[in-house]
Amino acid sequence: MDLLNTLVDKGLRRELPTREEALAVLATSDDDLLDVVAAAGKVRRHWFGRRVKLNYLVNLKSGLCPEDCSYCSQRLGSKAEILKYTWLKPDEASQAAAAGVAGGAKRVCLVASGRGPTDRDVDRVAQTIAAVKEQNEGVEVCACLGLLSDGQAERLRGAGADAYNHNLNTSEATYGDITKTHTYADRVDTVQKAHAAGLSACSGLIAGMGESDHDLVDVVYALRELDADSVPVNFLIPFEGTPLAKEWNLTPQRCLRILAMTRFVCPDIEVRIAGGREVHLRSMQPLALNLANSIFLGDYLTSEGQAGQADLDMIADAGFEVEGTDQVTLPKHRVDAAAAAAGCGSHGATGGCGSHDGGGCGPCGSSEAPAASSDEATAGPVTEPAAEANEARTDLVAVRRRGAGTDLAPNA
């Protein structure tokens, strides 16, 4: 297929595909799916080999959020029966993190619900970062605390944070349809603040909220323009009790096409399969490892993932290997660029100043259709494909009842 050969060549050269080419990937038929995966897999292996980076989420504060993000089980007005608790103490968070590190995670993502941290919250998280790093040698820490005020990113970096996650989630054109209490521009501003402070910027998206192909391409192009080191791809988890509870728009094939498009647009960036992979990719998860080079281990913020050991078995059985703490995640040219931008002369094991390598929390996450074939799609205007039907798999949406905020052992 000429389209895929062109995209592979561009990916190996770090050349940006055209929007028409990106749209054509999303419009490929199921008959062409394995060819799409194989092509994007060549780009993934060129930049990241067969390594899979493991990341582990620690929910520092669950629920009770004043924001109205339609996709989120922690939102204002959510009736989802999730765990609700206030801030974990630093030693509690560190103990939770240790479970993920023991399972092979090289990055711990510290997440707290809310619009954004107060200065007191930043102090609290700084203590938690110190505790996590003291008890887990070599671990990277990514903070995900919402919208940042001036100076807060610098304080987090000074406290030892390696990265900051704040997702764009969807396109600028449709952002107002899912959230009213803050704007798309607010989110962009926070990612830029993190970047400017020398933190590795992590920002991603949520697919499956009723968006169009054009929306998906728009948000992935925006993420490349922001120069995020890591792009977590979440697939909507339709929690009962949230406005998007009836949005079951994704199929495993659709998810793979979205991941492939993201890889082609972001060839040398850490692409992470984040929330919702168990719900929507299901038995196709191993195939997705050919597209993404990073996953979360175990559970998410308010939902349960598959068993941590099952994740490790899946990686091994698919012929991949867990990335070690002594291995660099990002390609050297991105490591060097991050170091130069931060004005720092020393590079950590994973790249950038203070071991920044990208990563991301994709905390909340968690349009379909075969249109024309790829060759036909590049020959003329790309039309929006009709939505594919997908069975609602509410049996796969399990609210987290273990780990942080409970007395039960975490899943890692």
Side-chain angles (χ1 to χ4, degrees):
M1 194 182 294
D2 290 342
L3 168 70
L4 297 179
N5 291 333
T6 297
L7 287 170
V8 170
D9 289 342
K10 287 186 174 183
L12 300 185
R13 298 195 305 265
R14 293 187 289 136
E15 181 180 337
L16 185 67
T18 67
R19 288 177 182 268
E20 288 73 21
E21 288 167 341
L23 286 165
V25 172
L26 296 178
T28 51
S29 71
D30 287 351
D31 288 341
D32 293 326
L33 181 62
L34 289 180
D35 292 333
V36 172
V37 171
K42 290 180 182 178
V43 178
R44 180 253 199 264
R45 289 191 302 277
H46 177 79
W47 295 111
F48 300 98
R50 303 193 70 82
R51 293 175 286 112
V52 178
K53 181 178 179 179
L54 298 183
N55 311 266
Y56 189 69
L57 283 167
V58 178
N59 196 352
L60 298 178
K61 179 168 73 76
S62 183
L64 311 173
C65 183
E67 300 298 287
D68 69 349
C69 307
S70 300
Y71 50 82
C72 186
S73 60
Q74 304 184 75
R75 73 187 297 271
L76 178 69
S78 171
K79 294 180 173 57
E81 297 181 355
I82 61 169
L83 291 171
K84 294 179 179 141
Y85 53 86
T86 190
W87 290 93
L88 296 181
K89 295 178 181 178
D91 63 327
E92 294 173 327
S94 181
Q95 289 174 14
V101 175
K106 65 184 290 184
R107 166 158 290 182
V108 171
C109 303
L110 302 176
V111 189
S113 62
R115 179 178 177 84
T118 65
D119 286 341
R120 181 181 178 186
D121 292 337
V122 173
D123 290 339
R124 190 194 320 262
V125 174
Q127 294 173 23
T128 300
I129 293 170
V132 169
K133 290 209 163 189
E134 181 180 355
Q135 298 178 35
N136 300 279
E137 184 178 357
V139 72
E140 303 165 15
V141 173
C142 177
C144 179
L145 311 173
L147 301 173
L148 292 175
S149 301
D150 290 345
Q152 290 183 328
E154 288 79 4
R155 291 176 59 197
L156 288 168
R157 184 170 186 257
D162 300 291
Y164 195 83
N165 165 259
H166 199 61
N167 294 331
L168 297 187
N169 290 328
T170 193
S171 70
E172 183 175 12
T174 58
Y175 194 84
D177 296 337
I178 62 169
T179 304
K180 303 296 185 188
T181 50
H182 61 267
T183 67
Y184 178 91
D186 291 332
R187 287 187 170 263
V188 170
D189 178 67
T190 286
V191 177
Q192 291 173 335
K193 280 184 169 71
H195 237 327
L199 291 167
S200 176
C202 164
S203 190
L205 64 139
I206 305 174
M209 298 190 290
E211 70 282 337
S212 70
D213 282 4
H214 285 276
D215 291 321
L216 287 168
V217 170
D218 283 350
V219 69
V220 174
Y221 273 71
L223 292 165
R224 170 149 173 172
E225 185 175 347
L226 279 173
D227 197 28
D229 287 327
S230 174
V231 174
V233 180
N234 296 277
F235 302 108
L236 177 72
I237 302 177
F239 274 96
E240 289 297 329
T242 65
L244 298 185
K246 305 304 179 186
E247 294 286 341
W248 288 88
N249 302 314
L250 298 171
T251 64
Q253 294 81 8
R254 171 69 167 176
C255 294
L256 290 170
R257 284 193 283 269
I258 292 168
L259 287 167
M261 183 271 289
T262 304
R263 174 54 70 200
F264 286 129
V265 176
C266 304
D268 59 338
I269 293 171
E270 179 187 346
V271 174
R272 178 175 310 169
I273 316 171
R277 64 178 165 93
E278 299 87 348
V279 178
H280 296 293
L281 279 164
R282 302 191 285 276
S283 61
M284 303 285 270
Q285 290 182 71
L287 200 56
L289 295 176
N290 291 279
L291 308 170
N293 62 297
S294 181
I295 66 170
F296 281 108
L297 177 71
D299 292 335
Y300 302 96
L301 297 179
T302 62
S303 65
E304 293 188 353
Q306 68 185 18
Q309 186 59 52
D311 287 338
L312 298 177
D313 291 343
M314 174 181 73
I315 291 168
D317 291 346
F320 292 87
E321 62 182 25
V322 173
E323 183 175 292
T325 56
D326 60 339
Q327 293 178 297
V328 178
T329 298
L330 293 180
K332 185 177 184 299
H333 64 270
R334 288 196 63 85
V335 173
D336 292 344
C344 174
S346 60
H347 306 156
T350 54
C353 306
S355 300
H356 306 153
D357 76 321
C361 304
C364 299
S366 119
S367 307
E368 269 117 321
S373 72
S374 300
D375 292 329
E376 293 169 337
T378 55
V382 179
T383 57
E384 204 63 63
E388 295 172 358
N390 189 34
E391 178 187 0
R393 291 297 306 272
T394 56
D395 58 306
L396 296 178
V397 180
V399 174
R400 182 174 67 84
R401 301 296 184 199
R402 60 195 175 196
T406 76
D407 294 327
L408 299 178
N411 170 30

